[in-house]
Amino acid sequence: MSAHATTAPEELIHRIGHELADALPHHRLGGGIDRQAIDRIAADPQLKAALFRFVDVAPAARSQREAAAHLEALLAEADRLPGPFAAVDGLARRPITAPLVGRGATWAVRRMARQFILAEDAAGATRSLAKLWDEGAATALDLLGEASVSDAEADTYAARCLDALEQLDRAYRGLPGRPRLDADGTGPLPRAHLSVKLSALTPQRHPFAPERVSEDAKRRLRPIARRARELGAHLHLDSESLDSREAVLSTALELLAEPEFADGPSAGVVLQAYLRDADEVLDRLLVTAGRRKPPLLVRLVKGAYWDHEVIDARQHGWTPAVHPDQAATDRAYEALTRRLLDARPAVRVAIASHNLRSVAHAIAHDRHGGGDGRDLELQVLLGLGEDLRTALARRGLRVRVYCPVGDLVAGMAYLVRRLLENTASDSFLDRQAHGASVDDLVRAP
Amino acid sequence: MSGGETFANQPVLDLRLATERARLTAALAALDARLPLRVPVLIDGQVRHGDELRSLDPGDQTRTVATSARAGRDEVDRAVAVAEVAGRAWAERPMAERAAVLRRAAELLVEERAGLAALAVRECAKPWAQADADVCEAIDFLRYYGERSAALGGPLPQPPGEQNSLRYRARGVCAVIAPWNFPLAIPCGMTAAALVTGNPVVLKPAEQSPACAARLVELLHRAGVPAGALALLPGEGEAGAALVDHPRVATIAFTGSAGVGLEILRRAAEIVPGQRQLKRVVAEMGGKNCVVVAADADLDDVVPAILDSAFAFAGQKCSAASRVLVEADVAERLERRLAGALSTLVVGPAERFATDVPAVIERAAQERIERFQQLVRDDGGELVLGPGPEPDVAIADGCWVRPALALGLPPGAALLHEEVFGPLVSVERVADLDAALARVDALPFALTAGVFSRNPRTVRRIVDALPAGNVYVNRGITGAMVARQPFGGNRLSGTGTKAGGPDYLLSFVDPQAVTENTVRHGLVV
């Protein structure tokens, strides 16, 4: 697959990387997470496992005592504990202090979760959305939910989606205009932007019969798409693991091909760069993208299910469908970035990465092709890319914050994925947190 | 020769790929064009055809998958006599040579995997993924037992002047009495274990799946198993009974219901005229498999795991989940979610890739399961029925049973104690985990069990208290894989042997300790 524009020179990528680094608040990247604590956890696999498992179960605990019992039992799995955790463990064992430890630990988990989760529901998110807008950032709202196992649960989720569209419309209606966020070269951009998940939209789980899954998902998605069109909102279908990849793609592409949706709503899908066949997926997206009036928004991500895919493949004796390491994914990401940017205006492109190099590369490729950043969107995750968001906004670029909304129990799977990302030793976040220089951070993968 | 360390499970097909699905569908079309197949009595390479029995497609009883001969008493006698003679030469071949024959057979199965899976789809209504897994498991058994055979025996103390060795020798004719629910893997596993250790085999397949067994036997012969060392005796109960009673049968490898298994154990214990050794019985029998759900379990995981364990292949696995015992605090929520999830199951023909619940094996099974459904109501429980077959299915032609949940049954209800072997699972509310464990412990069965909890201490406590042969933590309770999950039950569920485990072959051999005096005239020579 050859791009029609030439590749941006490394020198330009480096220059943009430095521009962004200079625009960082306090000249540092990262979210608000306590880096010391993360380091200590990341350095000890047993402790990491114990704490992840606690984070997963804590919100479901029925009492503080039960939370303490979990914490103590999980810490007991580790051979030896670093000082502070040994002290916690000791307190959790004693009947008198156990509830206090339970309360403290649960509080800590909630506090951490609140960095990644915007609010309990869409209505409660209104003020935060306005604040982000005021700071120069658009949002993508993601309704966290348990996996739907029944039609009733999927119906409830669909109703939440409809409600979220109304809430988003209301939240954004009165806000002042922001040219960079309100339009790109192809026309006006919806302010209300809702991301939905297939695993919540349908209880059908048939990795081998994707058409079965997408039929059911489309049935629930149609009323949501209609309402999004009426309100002028954007509707995005998220990607999950490979088990549902085909169903997600066919749901989106088939629904958007229905005559009723030829002129709207604005819609989008996700391209996961870690998949070794991402290029073929993009081929399919590009075929469809040209057939509709609103450009298809493609959010390019690295992919959040790497561990899952590798484990699943290894357990089955298959070659993993994902790139074997971060560098290979990063290289694929850049190649896909170029293909996507070169495919405009049939697609709108959202670069969703916290990797300074990946972001600088996208901006450089856009600029190299004569762009001024107007037809490029950058997305960050709430709580993980706060400093990058500020820098991007300061540089006058369009940045959208992906904001999960929902209760903590439902948010656990999301939270654990984010924590994994934060504590992976080969992650970009880890490298930059440990003081890698800007030159190192923007070096070609 | 490898010692078992190189074994790797045959990967199942990645059916997420449309190309793989198309390949299987084509194999089924090719098979359908050849139906009905004919399954003969096969002794010493001689076939006798007959049309006494018919094996029907469970999803469409108007389709005959195979007609087969019914082995009679005289054929049982002849098969055993031939096997006894041929077995001597087979036993004299080096273990490595027999293992190589099994490896060749594994390769033949790999080459024919799509066709074999198609056969399981048609003859037993195994949905594709399960049919493919059945083929893979059969391949695994051939390779794994081949490798394990090299590891039999170990070092003994060797003082000066004394040479000690422990050898394992073939026992003699092995009668393999196989079930239909894993129509390739289970007959293949039992047969492979007996063959690799030097025993001739007389295989009596289930009357519901003779074609699968016949193809397996053909491939084993083609791989190099001597004609006389492996006989195929299709038939019903009498052929099996005649084999069990036969004085020259040394080992009986059986997988099936508890009723038949216990009868085999009883009859095998009786010495009959002409018998010179104790019969050994390797029996894998039924279960009443319990899943214990603690209040801190993640129901997002529990619901799909129970659904799959209870309803995949219409619950016709000895490992299938049959009772769920859930702590009262989360019981209402689990019941509601399970009931909701039940209605999303796809009941339909096995050859459709969306099918969760296929037709059950035969009319008698359909009627038995429906009787159990009625019993739930009679015993005062609530029966939550799942969907019927897909709208385009000719219901009258297949053995369709709606998957169902049984709620609120009193502890004495029949369903809580008897094996159903169908898509019916009960949910019981328990005050706490001790109450759950007491109920599990009261059962005579102990095949598989499951635990769901996020507290490692709770998990350990439950695992320690469960009597089951296979315990699964925070996952479904079916799908044991060769070498990774050696499979077999305790208590009345089985003789404690572990199919696909490191010790399994010991059930097919007799040990012999040889001690040689190596001192001559005061010198060690």
Side-chain angles (χ1 to χ4, degrees):
Chain A
M1 215 56 55
S2 67
H4 12 89
T6 55
T7 306
E10 279 298 312
E11 182 271 323
L12 179 59
I13 300 173
H14 278 252
R15 196 164 74 234
I16 291 170
H18 278 279
E19 284 170 19
L20 287 175
D22 290 343
L24 289 169
H26 328 295
H27 300 283
R28 66 168 185 83
L29 278 158
I33 298 182
D34 180 349
R35 200 63 231 179
Q36 247 189 335
I38 292 276
D39 283 350
R40 175 166 268 156
I41 294 167
D44 185 338
Q46 288 184 336
L47 179 64
K48 178 172 162 179
L51 293 181
F52 274 33
R53 289 167 70 186
F54 179 71
V55 166
D56 172 57
V57 72
R62 289 166 295 177
S63 66
Q64 306 303 354
R65 203 173 285 279
E66 187 177 299
H70 268 106
L71 184 60
E72 186 262 319
L74 287 164
L75 289 176
E77 298 274 284
D79 288 341
R80 59 191 158 72
L81 296 170
F85 293 100
V88 168
D89 186 43
L91 292 173
R93 281 172 199 278
R94 275 182 239 137
I96 297 175
T97 46
L100 291 173
V101 171
R103 189 180 311 159
T106 309
W107 176 82
V109 169
R110 287 183 182 277
R111 181 168 154 273
M112 183 170 60
R114 271 199 298 272
Q115 298 183 357
F116 302 107
I117 297 172
L118 191 67
E120 297 240 332
D121 56 29
T126 306
R127 275 178 51 196
S128 307
L129 296 175
K131 182 163 175 287
L132 282 165
W133 185 260
D134 190 49
E135 291 168 10
T139 58
L141 202 74
D142 162 44
L143 297 178
L144 294 170
E146 294 167 309
S148 293
V149 300
S150 66
D151 284 309
E153 289 174 13
D155 290 343
T156 302
Y157 177 78
R160 282 176 66 207
C161 288
L162 283 170
D163 176 62
L165 285 173
E166 306 297 333
Q167 300 290 350
L168 281 170
D169 182 62
R170 218 164 299 150
Y172 278 112
R173 195 165 284 276
L175 299 181
R178 286 199 165 265
R180 186 55 95 188
L181 303 182
D182 278 331
D184 68 2
T186 56
L189 286 165
R191 289 179 173 183
H193 183 125
L194 180 67
S195 267
V196 298
K197 280 204 170 46
L198 193 83
S199 59
L201 269 175
T202 169
Q204 297 289 333
R205 300 278 175 275
H206 297 285
F208 315 145
E211 66 288 348
R212 183 94 197 184
V213 183
S214 55
E215 280 313 311
D216 196 52
K218 281 189 287 182
R219 189 168 62 79
R220 283 197 189 81
L221 207 46
R222 276 186 204 102
I224 300 169
R226 277 179 208 127
R227 192 63 188 136
R229 188 185 51 205
E230 286 160 14
L231 293 171
H234 174 85
L235 187 60
H236 214 87
L237 190 57
D238 276 355
S239 277
E240 298 173 69
S241 74
L242 202 57
D243 277 352
S244 63
R245 189 263 295 264
E246 190 52 43
V248 167
L249 269 179
S250 49
T251 299
L253 299 182
E254 288 166 19
L255 189 88
L256 297 178
E258 290 176 10
E260 151 175 38
F261 300 116
D263 298 327
S266 165
V269 291
V270 176
L271 183 61
Q272 295 164 313
Y274 66 11
L275 291 176
R276 285 187 285 110
D277 65 352
D279 262 310
E280 289 147 48
V281 176
L282 180 51
D283 291 343
R284 281 173 68 187
L285 295 181
L286 293 180
V287 167
T288 319
R291 294 189 188 142
R292 264 180 106 235
K293 197 179 281 172
L296 183 74
L297 174 60
V298 180
R299 183 202 302 150
L300 181 63
V301 301
K302 303 262 164 90
Y305 299 80
W306 192 88
D307 295 85
H308 166 85
E309 302 299 0
V310 171
I311 291 167
D312 187 55
R314 296 257 182 273
Q315 288 194 353
H316 284 93
W318 298 330
T319 306
V322 291
H323 288 298
D325 55 42
Q326 191 63 52
T329 300
D330 288 346
R331 285 191 295 274
Y333 193 89
E334 294 193 2
L336 291 163
T337 296
R338 294 191 292 272
R339 282 194 67 196
L340 277 166
L341 291 174
D342 295 344
R344 293 171 300 179
V347 290
R348 281 175 164 150
V349 185
I351 297 297
S353 168
H354 299 133
N355 182 317
L356 192 63
R357 161 75 195 192
S358 304
V359 174
H361 166 267
I363 298 168
H365 191 75
D366 175 63
R367 208 182 285 178
H368 185 64
D372 61 355
R374 196 156 83 116
D375 293 325
L376 170 65
E377 178 165 305
L378 300 147
Q379 293 193 2
V380 296
L381 296 170
L382 183 74
L384 269 180
E386 297 304 319
D387 293 332
L388 179 60
R389 159 170 75 87
T390 307
L392 292 167
R394 280 181 183 168
R395 300 294 308 165
L397 293 157
R398 184 166 70 254
V399 55
R400 188 179 301 280
V401 183
Y402 186 86
C403 299
V405 161
D407 76 40
L408 264 185
V409 176
M412 277 311 119
Y414 177 83
L415 185 55
V416 169
R417 274 204 302 282
R418 294 288 85 85
L419 286 175
L420 271 175
E421 216 164 274
N422 248 280
T423 51
S425 58
D426 68 338
S427 77
F428 175 80
L429 289 163
D430 185 74
R431 273 165 53 212
Q432 54 92 355
H434 289 97
S437 71
V438 173
D439 280 329
D440 280 342
L441 293 177
V442 296
R443 187 163 295 140
Chain B
M1 195 71 250
S2 54
E5 288 78 13
T6 61
F7 175 80
N9 297 96
Q10 175 70 30
V12 295
L13 296 175
D14 186 353
L15 297 180
R16 294 177 299 197
L17 304 172
T19 46
E20 297 284 43
R21 300 198 294 268
R23 190 179 138 206
L24 292 179
T25 303
L28 184 65
L31 171 70
D32 281 346
R34 292 168 44 225
L35 298 184
L37 307 173
R38 300 195 74 200
V39 177
V41 167
L42 175 68
I43 301 168
D44 206 11
Q46 307 294 310
V47 302
R48 182 196 47 94
H49 279 291
D51 295 322
E52 299 98 285
L53 298 171
R54 288 196 308 154
S55 107
L56 307 177
D57 177 352
D60 179 0
Q61 300 272 288
T62 65
R63 172 165 28 215
T64 301
V65 178
T67 59
S68 88
R70 181 200 281 123
R73 250 217 108 81
D74 53 328
E75 285 171 319
V76 170
D77 289 341
R78 195 151 53 80
V80 174
V82 165
E84 199 173 12
V85 175
R88 287 183 204 126
W90 178 244
E92 279 168 17
R93 307 221 337 224
M95 191 79 90
E97 224 177 284
R98 293 192 299 260
V101 170
L102 295 199
R103 271 201 306 279
R104 269 199 298 282
E107 291 319 304
L108 295 177
L109 262 72
V110 170
E111 277 169 34
E112 208 177 301
R113 64 184 295 174
L116 289 166
L119 195 50
V121 165
R122 266 297 168 255
E123 194 167 43
C124 303
K126 281 216 120 171
W128 279 118
Q130 319 251 347
D132 176 51
D134 197 40
V135 179
C136 290
E137 192 179 354
I139 294 164
D140 285 350
F141 279 133
L142 291 166
R143 292 179 178 155
Y144 180 73
Y145 291 147
E147 288 196 7
R148 289 309 305 175
S149 66
L152 278 181
L156 295 174
Q158 310 285 356
E162 181 181 293
Q163 206 171 67
N164 298 313
S165 64
L166 182 62
R167 311 190 296 155
Y168 290 98
R169 308 202 305 175
R171 302 192 80 242
V173 179
C174 178
V176 171
I177 301 175
W180 50 265
N181 63 334
F182 291 84
L184 297 158
I186 294 182
C188 184
M190 295 192 292
T191 301
L195 283 174
V196 79
T197 43
N199 305 283
V201 170
V202 178
L203 169 60
K204 206 297 277 182
E207 59 267 31
Q208 297 87 347
S209 60
C212 286
R215 190 63 193 149
L216 185 69
V217 167
E218 274 180 64
L219 294 177
L220 282 165
H221 279 142
R222 200 194 293 167
V225 176
L230 175 60
L232 177 70
L233 298 186
E236 293 170 305
E238 322 87 86
L243 271 171
V244 169
D245 292 340
H246 202 287
R248 312 302 285 178
V249 164
T251 310
I252 299 152
F254 167 80
T255 305
S257 71
V260 176
L262 295 175
E263 174 72 4
I264 288 175
L265 280 158
R266 195 183 60 72
R267 288 167 77 152
E270 268 173 44
I271 307 295
V272 293
Q275 184 175 342
R276 295 187 311 211
Q277 70 187 117
L278 293 175
K279 287 177 187 169
R280 190 176 294 164
V281 179
V282 176
E284 202 54 69
M285 297 177 281
K288 189 70 198 174
N289 307 312
C290 300
V291 178
V292 177
V293 181
D296 69 339
D298 187 346
L299 297 191
D300 273 8
D301 293 339
V302 176
V303 173
I306 289 178
L307 223 56
D308 185 62
S309 301
F311 300 119
F313 191 35
Q316 301 170 112
K317 304 179 190 182
C318 41
S319 55
S322 171
R323 287 175 74 173
V324 176
L325 299 107
V326 55
E327 277 196 282
D329 278 11
V330 291
E332 193 274 326
R333 200 167 143 61
L334 177 63
E335 287 176 0
R336 180 161 39 80
R337 297 194 80 188
L338 271 178
L342 179 73
S343 65
T344 69
L345 290 173
V346 177
V347 182
E351 69 263 32
R352 290 189 193 164
F353 288 93
T355 291
D356 296 304
V357 185
V360 297
I361 190 70
E362 59 191 356
R363 288 284 179 219
Q366 180 188 12
E367 286 156 14
R368 183 190 70 244
I369 298 159
E370 282 168 356
R371 269 200 307 280
F372 270 109
Q373 291 182 346
Q374 187 52 47
L375 266 179
V376 171
R377 298 195 186 94
D378 296 348
D379 283 336
E382 180 194 350
L383 187 73
V384 183
L385 278 172
E390 298 270 277
D392 60 334
V393 169
I395 296 178
D397 291 338
C399 308
W400 300 102
V401 177
R402 290 166 69 180
L405 285 179
L407 308 178
L409 281 170
L415 183 72
L416 301 182
H417 305 275
E418 289 169 40
E419 186 175 30
V420 179
F421 224 66
L424 178 54
V425 63
S426 62
V427 182
E428 298 156 68
R429 302 181 178 200
V430 289
D432 54 32
L433 295 171
D434 288 326
L437 292 172
R439 291 195 196 186
V440 178
D441 190 51
L443 283 168
F445 293 112
L447 186 47
T448 66
V451 186
F452 281 91
S453 166
R454 282 182 280 189
N455 186 327
R457 217 179 283 283
T458 307
V459 167
R460 213 168 311 122
R461 179 159 74 90
I462 299 177
V463 170
D464 286 349
L466 289 170
N470 286 73
V471 177
Y472 296 93
V473 180
N474 290 327
R475 51 155 282 175
I477 66 167
T478 61
M481 291 180 75
V482 170
R484 273 157 66 176
Q485 289 97 20
F487 186 79
N490 301 324
R491 295 195 175 175
L492 294 189
S493 288
T495 46
T497 44
K498 287 289 193 190
D503 311 328
Y504 190 67
L505 296 182
L506 291 176
S507 297
F508 295 83
V509 288
D510 281 332
Q512 182 181 49
V514 180
T515 299
E516 184 180 345
N517 172 16
T518 57
V519 182
R520 293 287 180 277
H521 307 295
L523 290 174
V524 176
V525 291

